[in-house]
Each structure stands twice: as C-alpha cells, then as structure tokens.
Amino acid sequence: MTEWQKKTPLEWLTYVNKEVKVLAAEKHRYQGWVLTVDPVSANILLAHPLENGKNSISAVLGHAVQEVEIVTEADDEMKEKLAHLFMPEERQTYIQEELDRKKTSLKDWLEANHIPVKEQGESQMTLCVAGVLIIDPPYRAEDCSSSNEIILSRVQGLIQGYLALQQCQI
C-alpha cells in the first residue's frame, strides 16, 4: 500500500480544487486540477483546461500514485468552473429573470390545463404538481422528479408538448 493510499478521506479532501503534479508508477507524470479523490480506491480525477475552452479529464489510479505535489490553489473563478464542469451547459447559462419567466409561463400553462401546481421551496423556484411531482429549473421534462412513474411520464410528456409548442411560436 502506497503512502497516498494510506491517507484518510479528510487528507485527500485538502487536495480538491488545487492544481497538482502527480508522479505515478513507471515515472508517468500528470498535472491538473483535482476534482475529487475516490475514498475507497484513492483514485484521483484531474481536470486539465485546454486552449479551446474545453477540459481534458484524467483518472490516476490510486495504487499507482507515488507522489502528489500541490502547484496552486484555485481562485473563486476556477472553483466555480470546476464545480460546474459536469453540468449541462443549459443549466449554467440561465439568468434569474429568464428562469422566472420560464417558471411563470409553465405554471400558467399547467393551470390553464387544469393541472394543480404551486411554487415551493425557499426561493419559490420549484414547481410542485399535485403534491407528488416536482419540476426544478430550467423547467424541462428531464427536470421533473416523482416516485410515481405514471404521473412522472405523463407530466414529462405534457411538458415536452408545451416546449414544442413554445418553439413553434418563436
């Protein structure tokens, strides 16, 4: 077992959001921003920004890690980028006014079709349908969740129809 594998999850957590250089078995070298360290296998997930604005993701297997050197700490902007790296781009680009407009429009449409809906949550941004289904921003079919699969499927179908109708009107 390597020294890296002997570390505790709290010790590994200190590497998250830091740029590191990793020396692995057979003198392989990796450099990137630590996204996470798997607490079971000690595998390191690194992000390396590319010139085209995209990121290269590398996984370094925990048993191969020989040395990890911290290069720099992430500033707030980099922490935000790393936190949203795996989020769909649509979720990242909406401004509050646009989300409010989408929520109000969908809520009005559901009410016009006699579907009971109300706003809930601290910020009132989540829609609750009949007390059994929630719709989170940005209010697409895939943003619905419910333990009742029949209601989930039907409301998702309605929302897809609603969004298709919205696209036709644009």
Side-chain angles (χ1 to χ4, degrees):
M1 185 176 276
T2 67
E3 289 299 315
W4 177 255
Q5 290 175 300
K6 291 178 184 175
K7 291 186 181 291
T8 66
L10 286 176
E11 290 173 305
W12 288 321
L13 191 59
T14 63
Y15 290 88
V16 174
N17 291 332
K18 295 190 173 70
E19 186 177 18
V20 297
K21 290 182 181 178
V22 179
L23 175 63
E26 300 182 15
K27 301 198 190 275
H28 290 297
R29 295 184 185 278
Y30 303 90
Q31 185 167 342
W33 294 91
V34 178
L35 296 171
T36 189
V37 179
D38 179 60
V40 175
S41 64
N43 295 349
I44 306 170
L45 195 62
L46 297 173
H48 180 74
L50 302 174
E51 290 179 14
N52 62 2
K54 302 211 181 228
N55 288 286
S56 170
I57 306 296
S58 302
V60 183
L61 301 180
H63 71 274
V65 174
Q66 294 176 349
E67 186 180 316
V68 179
E69 175 190 341
I70 296 175
V71 178
T72 57
E73 290 206 27
D75 58 11
D76 290 338
E77 182 182 344
M78 180 55 81
K79 285 180 184 177
E80 188 72 20
K81 284 180 184 176
L82 294 172
H84 293 95
L85 195 59
F86 294 107
M87 257 188 196
E89 286 187 33
E90 303 89 45
R91 286 193 183 254
Q92 298 176 26
T93 59
Y94 291 114
I95 56 174
Q96 190 62 42
E97 293 87 27
E98 191 174 357
L99 288 175
D100 288 337
R101 183 189 54 75
K102 285 176 169 280
K103 177 188 70 169
T104 302
S105 177
L106 179 59
K107 182 180 178 203
D108 292 347
W109 185 81
L110 289 169
E111 288 173 338
N113 286 281
H114 307 290
I115 297 170
V117 61
K118 61 183 172 183
E119 298 172 10
Q120 72 176 29
E122 286 183 29
S123 62
Q124 299 288 306
M125 291 304 293
T126 300
L127 295 177
C128 181
V129 176
V132 295
L133 179 137
I134 62 167
I135 309 168
D136 288 315
Y139 310 105
R140 301 168 301 176
E142 58 266 27
D143 300 315
C144 297
S145 61
S146 175
S147 59
N148 186 322
E149 291 183 29
I150 294 170
I151 291 175
L152 177 63
S153 174
R154 290 189 179 165
V155 172
Q156 284 177 322
L158 288 171
I159 291 174
Q160 286 172 338
Y162 161 76
L163 293 174
L165 182 64
Q166 293 292 324
Q167 289 296 326
C168 291
Q169 292 176 354
I170 291 178

